[in-house]
């Protein structure tokens, strides 16, 4: 265990002790106890940043977990995981601080739940990004889905929260399952290793395998559901029912980027295929466009941000797709032609986290202070909440892609990358490539439009105090600190983007595109505002002009049908699918669950006999050995004969007393057989048990009526007879085969050990008893425990009467 | 109206005494001859059931004021404690020990920790059998 | 000897399975008792019935019958006793609650 393992484990350990703080110091907000943890983790992870600018050496620490299955808890620290680790802990710190003021420490507010879920998420997310082992990654991955769903349902008394939580859980977890199958395929292709780095080192041979395509699709199913890519994005808008700190943290800055992370991480493996490029680019662009258009018609501020997040995730996804093309080219010094996409993806990832985080927090403040997030009610907040207004303005300008903010820089890079991609001479890009910049431009127009609308409808116009339930004023400073920090970063990264160049961006690019530069060399990263008048700048100017025109004409169209249908049309598919799933499962269950014990026994009998007999004959296991069967004494024949006569008579007699006598006879005859078979202990036990049992049955006769007459219908009787004879035949044949095998092979019974040692090791002469009380003492102990439980069950059943009419 | 079963009662008095002693013998003989906790316990249960059947319940309850639920618990505790005993010597749970001792009048006698363990089993078996039977018998409705 | 015992066990199990599918709750309990009888017999038989002394070292014999299945079956007999007692009480309490011991009449689940 290295110290870094504890970075991943620390949130979980903290989650264990946090509830004690909550109950012990009820008057102090629980968030304060938690706050130092992400901060310390952030600072610790930050020590791994290559401040010298000399590139980053990946660090690897490994602890065996299930070595026999190749599962190790390996932390792998390189540029990509470092970037995500910083995002998770950095934004985490700000979000915790924000939440302290956002969620009041009220009597009925289960703060301990909130922070335990949040810590669980933080640990799981760190686990996802720092694990090198796919199975460990998967475990943490599902844990993020779980904690996300718990956080969405934090206010579980609200119907919509529960709906959103269930939806996000179902979609992301089913994607996760698909991904697990993909991982299993990768394991097979890579020749029995779950380590991502080992897979990357043999990526060239792996892509030759025919399984690579299904594996890729399955892994992408996981990544796309998590990162809300079209058509799986529908869970994200409903996840906005979560408290706003959660939305800012999970549903914009970190968790939804897990899919991005996975795609970036596996690019060196899958990126060598043409399908990877096209799937990512097409899904990314469709998501980008669909998200930005959908965002325009939202009236809920968080709804706008949710769809905006969807669209921005699509942008990064398409950039990663374009970035994979670089793997097919040589990297020449300072030629950024092919690697711009990777650079843009990493840079935009950081920028999106900063501006979207600050916007979510600003919206949270508006919601907190006014009591509504509906843009139709809001308006004129500019003068009433000046700080919030400024933060939002910076965030919105960055989101719309206006200089001098960081959003402008990454949007320019995005345009450059898309124009570059259109000119590559692979994958039919010469003919089809033009759609990339076209879609990029259309989506950017709508991005500009919804940013403008959000600004205009919230902050400008007339302030109408009647629309609000409470007195509206600026938020307390505690709420403002976190968005201010993020807003400052937006400006800082906008003005001095190159402070990130060789500390964060270049190491992350090395992880996405390993092996392109020779060892020790670095990609050339230089981001600046003014490139001269080129295609990108003209595109941006077009976006601004066209976007302004649309944004200003839109208010006249609010009545149109487009704005009436706020919900995504794809939701219908999910809702009907879920309903049908429940209905159909119920139908299937009802068809077989007749509530009749006989039918269940029949199923079991048919299944056991069918499967058993099939296996016996299919694998030719049937064998009968008649050796050494002679010389059976006459008294054995006699005992067995009477035993069988009693047994066979059982189904045909009707009186319960006759039944009991026959049953008792069978029991005592079995005891006699035990004597013949030289098992004195068994014979004694059987005799005594049979005696006590007869008393028991007689006693219970007092409470039971005479047995119901069996139905005489031929069909049911013969069905029962056929099934029972089939089961009996199967048992007999199996036993005969076992016997034949046993007498054929030379097997030393394991009981020789007991025969030899019962005197020396246990000091007893009765081997059966020695096994019971000494060699297998624990079994006996648990057995008497079962007996005790059965007796207690009897007492409870009789003493605590069931009320009649109740379904029992 | 009470019927008087003089014969039954007299025979039961003698027979149950014999069975009870035999069950104790079976229990102690268990380690080296057929018998042991299970068998001894079942035998003891049989003897007690005979008593309950031939005399009426209330009278036996007066003579043997035993709570069989507690008997089960006691048996389990004894069995677990003998198991824990071996932990003290650094051996795995439920390791049994034995040795031979010289006793006055009785000569050499083997003592094992398996005996108290078997006693636990014995108690549980007696408890379970009688608890089931008595609960069903007492259930009037 | 083994073949005879196996056939006996098989027939006992056949009857037991038949009883499990009958209507009367008491017969089902009897079916379970029979099932355990059959299984005990089979376990003992399949471990081998070669000639040998009972598994008591005091016999001082050259060969003993296998003590392990005997210990297993001893446990099983006692457990099946406990289970049967439980089932009996379950059966008569069901009868008391619904005034029927006919499993055909007792069918039905809460969903319907």
């Amino acid at each position: 265990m290295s110290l870094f393992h504890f970075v991943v484990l620390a949130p979980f350990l903290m989650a264990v002790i946090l509830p004690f703080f909550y109950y012990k110091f009820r008057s102090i907000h629980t968030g304060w106890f938690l706050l130092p943890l992400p901060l310390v983790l952030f600072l610790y992870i930050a020590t791994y940043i290559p401040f010298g600018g000399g590139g980053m050496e990946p660090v690897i620490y490994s602890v065996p977990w299930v070595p026999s299955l190749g599962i190790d808890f390996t932390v792998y620290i390189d540029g990509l995981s470092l970037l995500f680790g910083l995002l998770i802990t950095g934004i985490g710190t700000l979000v915790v601080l924000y939440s302290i003021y956002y969620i009041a420490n009220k009597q009925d507010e289960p703060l301990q739940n909130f922070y335990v879920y949040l810590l669980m998420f933080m640990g799981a997310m760190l686990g996802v990004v720092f694990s090198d082992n796919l199975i460990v990654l998967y475990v943490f991955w599902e844990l993020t889905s779980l904690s996300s769903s718990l956080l969405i349902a934090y206010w579980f008394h609200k119907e919509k929260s529960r709906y959103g939580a269930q939806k996000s859980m179902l979609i992301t977890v089913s994607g996760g399952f698909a991904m697990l199958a993909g991982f299993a395929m990768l394991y097979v292709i890579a020749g029995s290793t779950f380590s991502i780095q080992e897979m990357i080192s043999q990526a060239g041979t792996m892509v030759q395998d025919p399984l690579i395509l299904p594996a890729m699709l399955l892994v992408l199913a996981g990544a796309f559901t998590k990162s809300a890519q079209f058509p799986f994005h529908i869970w994200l808008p409903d996840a906005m029912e979560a408290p706003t700190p959660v939305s800012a943290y999970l549903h914009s800055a970190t968790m939804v980027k897990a899919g991005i992370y996975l795609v970036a991480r596996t690019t060196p493996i899958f990126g060598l295929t043409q399908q990877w490029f096209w799937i990512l680019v097409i899904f990314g662009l469709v998501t980008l466009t669909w998200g930005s258009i959908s965002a325009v018609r939202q009236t809920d501020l968080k709804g706008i941000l949710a769809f905006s997040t969807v669209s921005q995730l699509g942008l990064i996804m398409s950039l990663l797709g374009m970035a994979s093309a670089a793997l097919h080219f040589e990297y020449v010094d300072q030629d950024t032609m092919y690697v711009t996409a990777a650079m843009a993806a990493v840079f935009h990832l950081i920028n999106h986290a900063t501006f979207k985080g600050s916007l979510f927090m600003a919206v949270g403040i508006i919601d907190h202070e006014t009591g509504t997030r509906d843009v139709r009610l809001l308006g004129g907040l500019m003068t009433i909440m000046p700080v919030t207004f400024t933060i939002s303005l910076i965030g919105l300008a960055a989101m719309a892609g206006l200089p001098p903010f960081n959003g402008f820089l990454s949007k320019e890079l995005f345009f450059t990358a898309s124009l570059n991609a259109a000119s590559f001479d692979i994958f039919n890009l010469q003919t089809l490539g033009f759609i990339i910049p076209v879609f990029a431009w259309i989506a950017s127009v709508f991005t500009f439009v919804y940013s403008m609308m959000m600004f205009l409808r919230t902050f400008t116009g007339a302030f109408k105090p009647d629309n609000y339930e409470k007195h509206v004023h600026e938020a307390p400073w505690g709420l403002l600190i976190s968005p201010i920090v993020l807003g400052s970063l937006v400006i800082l990264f906008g003005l001095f983007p190159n402070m990130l160049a060789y500390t964060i961006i270049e190491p992350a690019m090395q992880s996405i595109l390993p092996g392109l530069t020779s060892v020790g060399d670095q990609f050339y990263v230089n981001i600046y505002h003014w490139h001269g008048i080129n295609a990108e700048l003209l595109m941006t100017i077009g976006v601004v002009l066209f976007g302004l025109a649309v944004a200003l004409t839109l208010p006249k169209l609010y009545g149109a049908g487009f704005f009436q249908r706020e919900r995504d049309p794809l939701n219908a598919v999910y809702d009907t699918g879920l309903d049908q799933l429940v209905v159909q499962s119920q139908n299937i269950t009802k068809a077989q669950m007749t509530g009749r014990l006989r039918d269940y026994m029949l199923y079991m009998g048919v299944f056991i006999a069918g499967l058993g007999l099939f296996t016996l004959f299919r694998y030719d296991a049937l064998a009968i050995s008649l050796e050494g069967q002679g010389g059976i004494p006459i008294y054995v024949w006699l005992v067995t004969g009477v035993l069988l006569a009693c047994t066979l008579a059982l189904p045909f007699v009707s009186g319960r007393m006759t039944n009991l006598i026959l049953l008792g006879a069978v029991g005592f005859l079995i005891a006699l057989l035990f004597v013949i078979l030289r098992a004195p202990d068994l014979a004694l036990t059987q005799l005594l048990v049979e005696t006590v049992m007869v008393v028991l049955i007689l006693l219970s006769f007092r409470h039971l009526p005479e047995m119901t007459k069996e139905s005489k219908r031929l069909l049911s009787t013969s069905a029962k007879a056929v099934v029972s004879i089939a089961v009996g035949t199967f048992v007999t044949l199996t036993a005969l085969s076992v016997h034949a095998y046993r007498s054929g092979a030379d097997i030393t019974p394991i009981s020789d050990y007991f025969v030899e040692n019962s005197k020396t090791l246990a000091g007893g002469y009765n081997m059966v008893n020695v096994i019971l009380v000494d060699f297998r003492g624990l079994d006996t102990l648990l057995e008497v425990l079962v007996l005790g439980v059965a007796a207690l069950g009897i007492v409870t059943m009789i003493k605590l009467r069931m009320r009649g009419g109740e379904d029992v | 109206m009470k019927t008087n079963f003089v014969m039954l009662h007299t025979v039961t008095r003698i027979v149950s005494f014999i069975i009870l002693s035999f069950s104790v013998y079976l229990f102690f003989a268990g380690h080296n001859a057929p018998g042991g906790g299970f068998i001894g316990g079942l035998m003891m249960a049989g003897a007690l059931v005979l008593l309950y059947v031939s005399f009426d319940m209330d009278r036996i309850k007066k003579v043997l004021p035993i709570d069989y639920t507690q008997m089960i618990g006691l048996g389990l505790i004894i069995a677990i404690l003998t198991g824990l005993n071996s932990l003290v010597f650094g051996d795995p749970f439920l390791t049994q020990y034995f040795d031979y001792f010289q006793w006055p009048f009785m000569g050499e006698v083997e003592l094992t920790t398996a005996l108290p363990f078997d006693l636990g089993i014995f108690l549980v078996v007696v408890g379970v059998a009688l608890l089931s039977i008595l609960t069903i018998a007492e259930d009037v409705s | 000897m083994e073949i005879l015992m196996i056939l006996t066990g098989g027939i006992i199990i056949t009857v037991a399975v038949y009883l499990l599918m009958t209507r009367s709750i008491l017969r089902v309990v009897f079916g379970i008792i029979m099932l355990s009888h059959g299984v005990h017999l089979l376990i003992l038989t399949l471990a081998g019935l070669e000639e040998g002394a009972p598994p008591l070292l005091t016999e001082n014999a050259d060969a003993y019958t296998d003590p392990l299945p005997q210990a297993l079956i001893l446990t099983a007999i006692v457990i099946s006793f406990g289970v049967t007692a439980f089932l009996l009480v379950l059966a008569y309490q069901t009868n008391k609650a619904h005034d029927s011991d006919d499993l055909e009449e007792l069918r039905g689940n809460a969903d319907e």
Side-chain angles (χ1 to χ4, degrees):
Chain A
M1 285 294 243
S2 69
L3 190 55
F4 214 95
H5 283 101
F6 285 100
V7 171
V8 176
L9 295 178
F12 295 109
L13 299 176
M14 185 78 187
V16 174
I17 55 168
L18 198 71
F20 296 107
F21 283 112
Y22 173 77
Y23 290 109
K24 198 80 190 156
F25 307 99
R26 201 61 192 77
S27 55
I28 306 171
H29 198 285
T30 320
W32 289 116
F33 299 108
L34 168 61
L35 189 57
L37 179 80
L39 189 63
V40 169
L41 291 181
F42 177 78
L43 294 175
Y44 178 69
I45 296 175
T47 58
Y48 281 82
I49 298 177
F51 287 111
M56 181 171 177
E57 262 317 295
V59 188
I60 193 159
Y61 301 110
S62 192
V63 174
W65 183 17
V66 192
S68 53
L69 296 177
I71 299 172
D72 300 318
F73 185 13
T74 306
V75 291
Y76 183 78
I77 309 143
D78 66 348
L80 193 63
S81 48
L82 187 67
L83 161 65
F84 274 89
L86 289 172
L87 273 183
I88 295 158
T89 49
I91 309 260
T93 312
L94 297 174
V95 161
V96 171
L97 178 64
Y98 180 79
S99 70
I100 293 172
Y101 290 92
Y102 190 84
I103 304 179
N105 186 13
K106 281 182 299 198
Q107 195 55 48
D108 54 347
E109 197 75 71
L111 279 177
Q112 81 280 30
N113 291 354
F114 180 79
Y115 285 110
V116 165
Y117 300 158
L118 202 71
L119 280 168
M120 208 165 101
F121 168 75
M122 195 184 286
M125 197 65 206
L126 287 171
V128 168
V129 299
F130 284 116
S131 298
D132 181 51
N133 192 289
L134 284 177
I135 294 299
V136 180
L137 188 149
Y138 171 76
V139 171
F140 283 123
W141 180 281
E142 295 292 39
L143 207 52
T144 62
S145 297
L146 179 69
S147 48
S148 152
S149 167
L150 286 169
L151 281 168
I152 297 170
Y154 173 61
W155 285 313
F156 54 81
H157 45 85
K158 289 198 288 184
E159 163 84 44
K160 283 175 103 180
S161 298
R162 297 198 301 272
Y163 172 78
Q166 188 195 35
K167 196 174 188 178
S168 86
M169 183 84 171
L170 285 178
I171 293 181
T172 53
V173 168
S174 39
F177 273 137
M179 192 179 81
L180 182 63
F183 287 172
M185 286 183 185
L186 281 177
Y187 178 77
V188 175
I189 302 170
S192 309
T193 176
F194 280 119
S195 162
I196 302 173
Q197 292 309 316
E198 281 174 34
M199 287 179 187
I200 290 175
S201 64
Q202 46 174 312
T205 51
M206 280 176 75
V207 286
Q208 306 297 327
D209 198 291
L211 265 180
I212 194 82
L213 192 64
M216 179 173 98
L217 291 176
L218 288 168
V219 170
L220 279 181
F224 281 2
T225 47
K226 199 74 158 182
S227 278
Q229 295 297 295
F230 183 89
F232 306 114
H233 64 276
I234 47 171
W235 68 267
L236 191 59
D238 286 306
M240 291 300 135
E241 289 303 320
T244 304
V246 173
S247 309
Y249 190 33
L250 274 71
H251 305 127
S252 83
T254 53
M255 189 185 84
V256 287
K257 300 237 168 81
I260 304 274
Y261 167 80
L262 189 70
V263 167
R265 183 53 92 198
T266 49
T267 292
I269 305 169
F270 296 123
L272 297 169
T273 60
Q274 176 175 350
Q275 291 89 344
W276 180 257
F277 178 91
W278 279 113
I279 291 173
L280 285 184
V281 167
I282 290 172
F283 274 90
L285 288 176
V286 170
T287 312
L288 167 63
T289 320
W290 183 279
S292 61
I293 294 177
S294 302
V296 173
R297 62 180 178 191
Q298 300 299 310
T299 51
D300 180 1
L301 282 177
K302 276 178 95 173
I304 301 179
L305 288 181
F307 276 106
S308 147
T309 307
V310 169
S311 118
Q312 303 277 333
L313 290 168
L315 190 157
I316 303 176
M317 205 57 98
S318 66
L319 275 173
L320 284 173
M322 294 177 217
S324 72
L327 292 168
H328 297 268
F329 299 99
E330 294 286 313
Y331 177 75
V332 194
D333 258 358
Q334 304 223 340
D335 174 17
T336 54
M337 169 87 175
Y338 303 114
V339 298
T340 314
M343 194 198 316
V346 176
F347 190 41
H348 194 71
L349 190 81
I350 304 168
N351 297 343
H352 178 249
T354 53
F355 68 69
K356 191 56 68 63
S358 72
L359 279 175
F360 262 111
M361 289 177 183
V363 165
I365 291 172
I366 293 170
D367 186 16
H368 202 252
E369 301 304 320
T370 65
T372 181
R373 301 192 305 249
D374 193 332
V375 285
R376 285 167 300 191
L377 299 176
L378 292 164
L381 293 179
M382 194 192 304
T383 47
I384 295 160
M385 305 170 81
V387 185
T388 313
F389 161 71
T390 318
I391 298 165
S392 308
L393 185 64
I394 297 169
L396 288 169
M399 186 157 80
L402 296 177
F405 304 108
N406 58 7
F408 168 72
L409 294 167
S410 46
K411 183 143 293 182
E412 290 282 283
L413 283 173
F414 172 50
F415 284 152
T416 316
S418 60
L419 288 169
N420 286 350
S423 67
F424 292 166
D425 53 357
I426 49 166
F427 303 160
N428 299 328
L429 277 165
Q430 299 284 19
T431 47
L432 293 170
F434 72 93
I435 61 163
I436 301 176
V438 169
F439 268 100
W441 189 78
I442 295 173
S444 300
V445 171
F446 282 100
T447 308
F448 186 84
V449 171
Y450 68 70
S451 306
M452 275 296 285
M453 279 176 42
M454 216 175 136
F455 172 71
L456 293 173
R457 298 183 79 174
T458 313
F459 294 105
T460 63
F463 175 71
K464 303 186 202 74
D466 300 343
N467 282 348
Y468 313 111
E469 281 163 10
K470 36 180 152 183
H471 174 66
V472 180
H473 53 81
E474 184 57 273
W477 280 103
L479 268 179
L480 290 169
I481 297 171
S482 300
I484 287 176
V485 171
L486 286 174
S488 323
L489 286 177
V490 171
I491 302 176
L492 197 67
F493 293 158
L495 294 179
F496 310 106
N498 284 324
M499 63 188 284
L500 296 173
Y502 286 97
T503 47
I504 307 274
I505 298 178
E506 202 277 337
M509 282 166 71
Q510 288 287 3
S511 316
I512 302 174
L513 306 170
L516 273 191
T517 59
S518 46
V519 181
D521 275 1
Q522 289 177 289
F523 292 114
Y524 175 68
V525 181
N526 188 11
I527 304 167
Y528 45 97
H529 279 89
W530 182 248
H531 299 259
I533 298 185
N534 54 8
E536 292 90 315
L537 189 65
L538 291 176
M539 279 169 88
T540 305
I541 293 171
V543 165
V544 173
L545 292 178
F546 202 78
L548 269 178
V550 175
L552 292 175
T553 50
L554 266 185
K556 300 189 183 85
L557 299 172
Y558 283 158
F562 175 75
F563 286 98
Q564 299 304 314
R565 285 193 302 273
E566 218 181 309
R567 273 177 77 70
D568 201 299
L570 283 171
N571 278 315
V573 178
Y574 168 84
D575 291 338
T576 359
L578 198 61
D579 287 348
Q580 282 304 310
L581 189 70
V582 174
V583 171
Q584 296 305 334
S585 330
Q586 271 173 349
N587 286 344
I588 292 174
T589 312
K590 269 183 196 153
Q592 38 151 345
M593 293 290 150
T594 53
R596 224 185 252 135
L597 185 68
R598 191 191 73 199
D599 289 351
Y600 301 152
M601 291 295 179
L602 211 68
Y603 297 155
M604 285 189 237
V606 169
F607 186 77
I608 294 172
L611 191 72
L613 287 173
F614 171 77
T615 319
L616 263 184
F617 289 105
R618 168 74 180 71
Y619 293 98
D620 217 14
L622 188 63
I624 296 172
S625 152
L626 294 171
E627 267 176 66
Q629 296 306 315
I632 301 173
I634 185 78
Y635 59 88
V636 178
W637 284 109
L638 209 63
V639 171
T640 342
V642 180
L643 174 63
L644 286 181
C646 292
T647 309
L648 287 171
L650 258 179
F652 298 102
V653 296
S654 50
R656 62 181 187 183
M657 212 35 122
T658 334
N659 261 292
L660 177 60
I661 290 169
L662 285 175
L663 194 73
V666 170
F668 288 120
L669 286 167
I670 294 263
L672 209 52
L673 269 186
F674 285 148
V675 174
I676 296 170
L677 300 179
R678 293 178 305 284
D681 286 274
L682 287 190
L684 267 173
T685 320
Q686 179 67 41
L687 269 174
L688 291 165
V689 162
E690 208 53 44
T691 315
V692 181
M693 194 100 89
V694 167
V695 175
L696 261 177
I697 296 176
L698 272 174
L699 276 172
S700 70
F701 274 180
R702 267 205 320 171
H703 306 279
L704 276 168
E706 180 59 55
M707 288 195 285
T708 310
K709 288 269 182 301
E710 293 303 319
S711 105
K712 286 276 178 284
R713 282 193 305 130
L714 192 62
L715 188 68
S716 77
T717 315
S718 55
K720 283 185 277 187
V722 167
V723 172
S724 50
I725 288 173
V727 174
T729 317
F730 157 65
V731 172
T732 315
L733 290 182
T734 315
L736 284 173
S737 309
V738 171
H739 170 62
Y741 174 75
R742 195 183 171 283
S743 45
D746 187 26
I747 301 168
T748 330
I750 51 172
S751 50
D752 282 355
Y753 171 81
F754 301 115
V755 178
E756 282 156 21
N757 289 315
S758 74
K759 176 75 189 78
T760 42
L761 288 184
Y765 292 90
N766 180 0
M767 287 177 249
V768 176
N769 187 265
V770 165
I771 292 174
L772 283 177
V773 297
D774 194 327
F775 291 123
R776 308 294 311 160
L778 191 61
D779 295 352
T780 314
L781 180 62
L782 295 177
E783 186 214 339
V784 292
L785 186 67
V786 171
L787 273 185
V789 171
L792 287 183
I794 292 171
V795 175
T796 350
M797 236 187 319
I798 294 176
K799 296 275 154 85
L800 308 172
R801 263 166 221 299
M802 287 174 286
R803 267 162 242 101
E806 211 172 283
D807 204 292
V808 277
Chain B
M1 191 191 91
K2 232 176 176 181
T3 334
N4 205 350
F5 301 103
V6 182
M7 291 272 275
L8 180 68
H9 287 178
T10 319
V11 173
T12 308
R13 278 192 188 104
I14 302 162
V15 170
S16 66
F17 179 74
I18 297 171
I19 306 179
L20 281 173
S21 343
F22 187 53
S23 76
V24 175
Y25 166 75
L26 274 179
F27 165 67
F28 280 108
H31 218 49
N32 298 321
F38 283 115
I39 295 166
L42 283 165
M43 185 71 93
M44 166 89 73
L48 291 174
V49 167
L50 181 62
L51 283 177
Y52 280 105
V53 168
S54 50
F55 298 95
D56 59 310
M57 193 104 92
D58 296 330
R59 206 183 307 176
I60 302 295
K61 269 197 172 159
K62 238 173 260 166
V63 183
L64 293 170
I66 304 170
D67 183 344
Y68 293 104
T69 325
Q70 284 177 10
M71 196 179 207
I72 297 175
L74 183 71
L76 280 175
I77 288 172
I78 292 178
I80 292 171
L81 283 183
T82 36
L84 287 178
N85 163 48
S86 61
L87 292 181
V88 180
F89 301 102
D91 286 318
F93 182 61
L94 269 174
T95 311
Q96 311 285 22
Y97 307 96
F98 68 96
D99 208 343
Y100 300 88
F101 297 93
Q102 290 295 335
W103 288 69
F105 308 118
M106 292 162 82
E108 192 184 67
V109 170
E110 181 194 8
L111 287 182
T112 73
T113 53
L115 195 69
F117 182 74
D118 225 9
L119 178 67
I121 296 170
F122 178 90
L123 289 175
V124 174
V125 171
V126 175
V128 168
L130 281 165
L131 187 63
S132 319
I133 289 175
L134 292 186
T135 329
I136 298 179
E138 281 172 347
D139 183 21
V140 276
S141 58
Chain C
M1 190 82 136
E2 279 94 345
I3 304 269
L4 180 64
M5 289 301 137
I6 287 170
L7 288 176
T8 314
I11 291 171
I12 294 179
I13 285 177
T14 311
V15 170
V17 174
Y18 183 88
L19 289 176
L20 285 181
M21 288 184 283
T22 50
R23 287 172 73 168
S24 163
I25 224 167
L26 201 57
R27 269 184 212 271
V28 175
V29 178
F30 288 178
I32 289 173
I33 299 177
M34 289 301 282
L35 194 60
S36 47
H37 283 331
V39 171
H40 297 161
L41 202 55
L42 281 178
I43 294 179
L44 195 66
T45 310
L46 289 182
L49 299 175
E50 292 100 1
E51 291 300 313
L56 300 166
L57 288 172
T58 39
E59 300 278 312
N60 274 323
D62 292 335
Y64 300 96
T65 44
D66 200 335
L68 196 59
Q70 297 198 7
L72 264 176
I73 297 167
L74 202 153
T75 317
I77 292 175
V78 181
I79 284 276
S80 66
F81 161 69
V83 171
T84 312
F86 185 81
L87 274 175
L88 272 174
V89 177
L90 190 64
Y92 88 69
Q93 288 286 5
T94 311
N95 175 55
K96 213 179 268 178
H98 296 281
D99 210 19
S100 167
D101 76 324
D102 184 355
L103 287 166
E104 290 290 306
E105 282 176 27
L106 289 171
R107 66 180 283 235
N109 50 38
D111 278 352
E112 279 172 29

